[in-house]
Amino acid sequence: MKLMVFILNKIDTLEYLLEGLSAAGIGGATIIESSGLAMTLSKLGSSFLSAPIRALFSGDEDNRTILSVIRDDQLDLARRVIYNTVGDLSMPNTGILFTLPIDFAEGIRKNYDKQKLVDSSNRQKD
């Protein structure tokens, strides 16, 4: 398993991205409102940034950090969904994608057979 971390700069694509990931079988994710260093310094009025650079960050748009625990075999599919939705990540202001190995995880729903879940819930009602 891997922790997939995607920092999405094009937040107008968030809904389409989440729908695409869900359709691809990647159903669990946590979305966090986040902000980059330059944007935060700009909002704070930091003297560290020159006026022309600060003007580049005058908007209210931040980014979203998407965290998802995925199986190793889901990474290529997730990357395709991200590239098809957001575009080429080598272009500026699109996003940053990386993964981290997971040594331990608890509380993650496995891919259960749907019929087993139905049978189990029916037995509990009896």
Side-chain angles (χ1 to χ4, degrees):
M1 287 191 301
K2 297 180 181 301
L3 173 63
M4 180 179 73
V5 179
F6 181 50
I7 302 166
L8 173 67
N9 291 335
K10 291 182 166 183
I11 61 174
D12 58 318
T13 64
L14 178 64
E15 180 179 353
Y16 301 109
L17 176 62
L18 296 177
E19 288 172 353
L21 290 171
S22 182
I26 300 168
T30 298
I31 297 91
I32 302 169
E33 291 185 14
S34 50
S35 182
L37 176 70
M39 176 67 78
T40 302
L41 287 174
S42 173
K43 286 182 178 181
L44 295 173
S46 173
S47 61
F48 183 75
L49 295 176
S50 66
I53 292 175
R54 192 174 302 117
L56 293 173
F57 298 103
S58 61
D60 290 331
E61 298 234 349
D62 288 323
N63 51 43
R64 299 295 181 271
T65 299
I66 302 167
L67 307 171
S68 184
V69 175
I70 61 172
R71 296 186 320 265
D72 292 346
D73 64 334
Q74 291 178 307
L75 179 57
D76 287 336
L77 182 57
R79 288 181 68 214
R80 281 196 300 274
V81 169
I82 290 168
Y83 270 71
N84 289 336
T85 307
V86 178
D88 185 351
L89 297 182
S90 68
M91 301 303 292
N93 299 315
T94 51
I96 299 170
L97 174 66
F98 62 93
T99 62
L100 300 168
I102 296 178
D103 295 328
F104 174 79
E106 206 168 42
I108 297 172
R109 183 175 223 183
K110 306 272 190 276
N111 289 332
Y112 292 111
D113 180 351
K114 289 181 182 179
Q115 188 57 45
K116 287 180 184 176
L117 289 174
V118 170
D119 291 345
S120 173
S121 65
N122 286 339
R123 271 187 252 129
Q124 291 175 357
K125 292 178 185 175
D126 294 11

